[in-house]
Amino acid sequence: METSTSITTNERAAIDSVPKGLFIGGQWRPTAATLPVEDPSTGEVLCEVADATPAEALPALDAAAAAQADWARTAPRERSEILTRAYDLMIAEKERLALIMTLEMGKPLAEARGEVGYAAEFLRWFAEEAVRIDGGYMTAPAGGSKFLVSKQPVGVSLMITPWNFPLAMGTRKIGPAIAAGCTSLIKPAAQTPLSTMAFAELLTRAGLPDGVVNVVTTSSSDEVMTPLILDERSRKLSFTGSTGVGKHLLELCAKTVMRTSMELGGNAPFLVFADADLDAAVDGAMLAKMRNIGQACTAANRILVQREVAAEFAERLTTRMRELPMGRGTEDGVVVGPLIDQRAVQKVTDLVADATSRGATVHLGGQAHEGKGHFYPATVLTDVSPDAEMGSTEIFGPVAAITPFDSEEEAIALANDTPYGLVSYAYTRDLARGFRVGEGLEAGMVGLNLGVVSNPAAPFGGIKESGLGREGGFLGIDEFLETKYIGIAI
Ligand code: NAP
C-alpha cells in the first residue's frame, strides 16, 4: 500500500473553500477556540474549525427561533425552489464536495461522489414534497360538525449527525425541515464538520434566508447540545448516531416532551439460502459489507449462509475481497480507505481476536496495517460463532463474518436474535421463501436479493433499538410536521 503523505494544491484549495466558523443567522462567526480536522489516511491536520462553547452556540438557537415564524409563512413553492437550486449547486460542485468528504472522512473518492449524488437527491425529493403537504376535511360521524385537518411545521429543529455519511445525513434532515417550514440548528460530528459547513455555504447561494439553517461545530457535544435540547424554543431533535447516545438524548428530550427522530445503530444479518443465485449474493454482500469501508449502520454485520453453500460462498467472497486495493481515498482505484480513527482500528482488531479465539477461521486479512493512517484490510472470517462479540456489536470495518445455518427457521431466529432492527438482507430464488423471510425478519427495512436499501424515495429507518421514525420517502417530511385538527360546528 502506497500512501502519499502531503496534501496537494487541489486538495488544499478544496479545504480552503470551506468557511470555518459557526454559521449563525447567515454569518460565519469565529470562536475563541478551534478544533482540528484530521485526514484519517495520514493523521495530518487538514485545518482548524470553530469549537463552540455553550455560550457561543446559544446565538444559533436564537437565530433559528427568530427566523421560525417568517419561514413557516413562506410559500411552499418558494421553499421548493430554494431546495431545487441547492440540488443544482450540489450536483454542479460534486467534485469539490466529494474531495472535501474524502479528505475529512477517508472514504474513496468514487464513494464520496456517490454520497454527494445521494445527498443531493434528498434535496430534490423534498423540493418535490414541499408543495404536496396536504390535509383533510370530513364530516363528523354523528353530523353537526366538520373536521379540518392540516399540517404545520413542528418548529425549531435540532439535528445531530455522525461522521460516516457526513453530507447525506445532513441533507436527509435539512431537506425535509426546509420543505416543511422549520428552521434548524445542525451539529455535525467533530471529526467531519467540513461537509456540513460546505453545504451551509451552498444553501446561502441557493437563496436560503438568514437564520433558517444554522451550524454549530464543537468538541463538547454534550455540554453544548444539552442546554439547547432543554431550551423550550427547541421543538424537535433529529439524531443519527449510535444507540447509546440516542438513548441518552431520548432521556433529555423526555424533559420537554420533544418530538424526536432517532436513526440509530444496526446489526444487519445477511442471509444466503442454498437456493440463492450465489453470484448475485456475493455481489450483494460486497455492497452491503464494503460500502463505506464497512462503516455503515446498514453494513452486513452477520453473514449467515446455509451450510450446503457456505464454503463455496466464502471462497467466492474471499476472491473478490482479495482484489480490493487499500490506500488513501484520493488515489485511483482505491476501494478500502482508512477507518475513521485509531480507536476504530483497535475495536476491529479486538473483535477479530475475540472471534478467532472462539473458533473462527481467517481466510483473508485479519491484521491491522502498521504505519501511517488508520487502515484495516479487507478480512473474511468463517465459522464465526453466534456468541462471538461481533455477533452483538457493530463491527464498523471491512470484516465479513460468516456463520453457517441449517434451516430457514434457524436463520430467522439467528437473524432476529439482536436488540437492533435496522435492516436485514436475504438472498433466495424461492419467491414464497423470500416473502416469508421478508415478513419474519424484525427490521425496518429488508433487502430481498438487494445489497443496498438506501434510497431518498424510500422510508429509511429502524425498529427495536435501531430507532424511531423514518427519513426519506413520503414519510420523511412528516417528521417535521405537526397534525392540527380544527373542529367546526356547522
Ligand atoms: P455517535 O458517537 O453516537 O455520534 C453521533 C453524533 O452525536 C456526533 O455528532 C456526536 O458528536 C454526537 N454526540 C455524541 N455524544 C453526544 C451527546 N452526549 N450529546 C449530543 N451529541 C452527542 O455515533 P458515531 O460514532 O458518530 O456514528 C456511528 C453510529 O451512527 C453507528 O452506531 C451507526 O450505526 C449510526 N448510524 C446510524 C444511521 C441510521 O440511519 N440509522 C446512519 C449512520 C450512522 P461528536 O462526534 O462531535 O462527539
Side-chain angles (χ1 to χ4, degrees):
M1 189 190 78
E2 291 286 319
T3 294
S4 51
T5 49
S6 54
I7 186 164
T8 66
T9 315
N10 189 30
E11 291 166 7
R12 173 54 54 209
I15 297 297
D16 288 349
S17 73
V18 184
K20 311 291 190 307
L22 304 180
F23 186 57
I24 298 180
Q27 305 294 316
W28 293 93
R29 297 193 191 176
T31 49
T34 57
L35 71 89
V37 182
E38 285 179 15
D39 176 346
S41 68
T42 60
E44 284 173 24
V45 173
L46 294 166
C47 63
E48 299 273 337
V49 301
D51 186 0
T53 60
E56 287 167 325
L58 188 60
L61 181 60
D62 297 340
Q68 178 57 54
D70 280 351
W71 183 241
R73 275 195 294 270
T74 51
R77 179 65 71 198
E78 191 181 329
R79 304 199 294 262
S80 171
E81 285 171 353
I82 290 169
L83 285 170
T84 302
R85 284 195 293 274
Y87 166 81
D88 289 340
L89 284 168
M90 198 170 268
I91 295 298
E93 298 182 22
K94 187 183 270 190
E95 278 307 308
R96 180 179 71 91
L97 295 168
L99 184 54
I100 292 165
M101 189 189 302
T102 291
L103 289 171
E104 69 174 346
M105 187 272 165
K107 70 179 70 184
L109 258 182
E111 284 203 49
R113 288 186 192 109
E115 183 177 338
V116 177
Y118 175 55
E121 283 301 332
F122 284 105
L123 304 178
R124 179 151 72 164
W125 176 263
F126 287 109
E128 291 157 354
E129 290 296 280
V131 290
R132 312 254 184 275
I133 299 168
D134 60 5
Y137 187 61
M138 68 176 277
T139 304
S145 67
K146 293 278 186 182
F147 299 167
L148 179 66
V149 179
S150 68
K151 301 273 178 66
Q152 296 186 332
V154 66
V156 176
S157 300
L158 306 178
M159 299 163 182
I160 301 177
T161 52
W163 51 265
N164 61 344
F165 291 98
L167 190 60
M169 297 303 97
T171 61
R172 200 163 80 171
K173 299 181 189 308
I174 287 177
I178 288 177
C182 296
T183 62
S184 53
L185 181 161
I186 182 165
K187 190 209 80 66
Q191 286 171 304
T192 58
L194 300 175
S195 296
T196 304
M197 295 164 126
F199 173 42
E201 188 274 330
L202 185 149
L203 283 171
T204 308
R205 281 188 278 139
L208 192 74
D210 294 348
V212 174
V213 169
N214 304 275
V215 182
V216 168
T217 48
T218 180
S219 60
S220 315
S221 309
D222 195 41
E223 294 84 333
V224 165
M225 292 311 293
T226 299
L228 300 179
I229 291 168
L230 295 177
D231 192 304
E232 286 181 356
R233 294 171 296 171
S234 303
R235 292 312 311 146
K236 162 93 193 179
L237 174 67
S238 179
F239 172 73
T240 298
S242 60
T243 294
V245 173
K247 286 180 183 179
H248 163 70
L249 295 174
L250 276 170
E251 279 181 28
L252 279 182
C253 290
K255 296 192 195 301
T256 57
V257 194
M258 196 192 291
R259 280 276 298 274
T260 58
S261 301
M262 291 279 151
E263 296 287 351
L264 308 178
N267 180 3
F270 186 100
L271 276 53
V272 181
F273 289 92
D275 61 31
D277 174 342
L278 271 202
D279 286 331
V282 171
D283 285 346
M286 291 297 292
L287 283 171
K289 181 73 254 178
M290 294 307 293
R291 182 164 170 246
N292 226 27
I293 322 145
Q295 303 169 111
C297 52
T298 50
N301 210 55
R302 297 169 293 148
I303 301 180
L304 308 172
V305 187
Q306 202 152 18
R307 201 172 300 276
E308 297 94 294
V309 295
E312 173 74 15
F313 178 86
E315 197 185 313
R316 291 199 206 181
L317 188 69
T318 304
T319 304
R320 291 281 297 277
M321 296 275 273
R322 203 189 298 281
E323 292 164 358
L324 304 180
M326 183 164 82
R328 191 164 189 243
T330 49
E331 288 161 16
D332 277 350
V334 160
V335 177
V336 185
L339 299 186
I340 188 68
D341 55 24
Q342 210 46 41
R343 214 162 48 122
V345 174
Q346 191 56 51
K347 177 183 170 190
V348 175
T349 303
D350 292 346
L351 288 173
V352 170
D354 169 77
T356 51
S357 77
R358 295 173 199 254
T361 304
V362 181
H363 289 254
L364 180 71
Q367 290 267 312
H369 172 77
E370 283 177 14
K372 229 177 190 168
H374 314 304
F375 290 92
Y376 197 96
T379 294
V380 179
L381 306 179
T382 55
D383 291 314
V384 175
S385 162
D387 298 331
E389 265 181 57
M390 61 173 63
S392 55
T393 310
E394 283 185 297
I395 302 171
F396 250 55
V399 178
I402 300 175
T403 301
F405 69 84
D406 290 302
S407 67
E408 185 180 311
E409 296 68 32
E410 185 194 358
I412 293 177
L414 278 171
N416 291 341
D417 186 17
T418 167
Y420 295 98
L422 188 61
V423 58
S424 301
Y425 306 89
Y427 275 73
T428 175
R429 280 195 178 105
D430 180 334
L431 188 62
R433 167 177 276 161
F435 274 90
R436 230 174 18 242
V437 171
E439 292 282 333
L441 288 168
E442 295 171 357
M445 302 175 286
V446 175
L448 200 49
N449 298 322
L450 188 69
V452 176
V453 293
S454 308
N455 189 310
F460 189 104
I463 61 170
K464 296 161 80 177
E465 294 192 14
S466 286
L468 300 166
R470 295 293 179 269
E471 290 190 327
F474 297 116
L475 299 174
I477 196 164
D478 282 345
E479 300 286 323
F480 293 91
L481 292 168
E482 294 285 14
T483 300
K484 176 177 272 183
Y485 144 64
I486 300 178
I488 308 162
I490 52 170

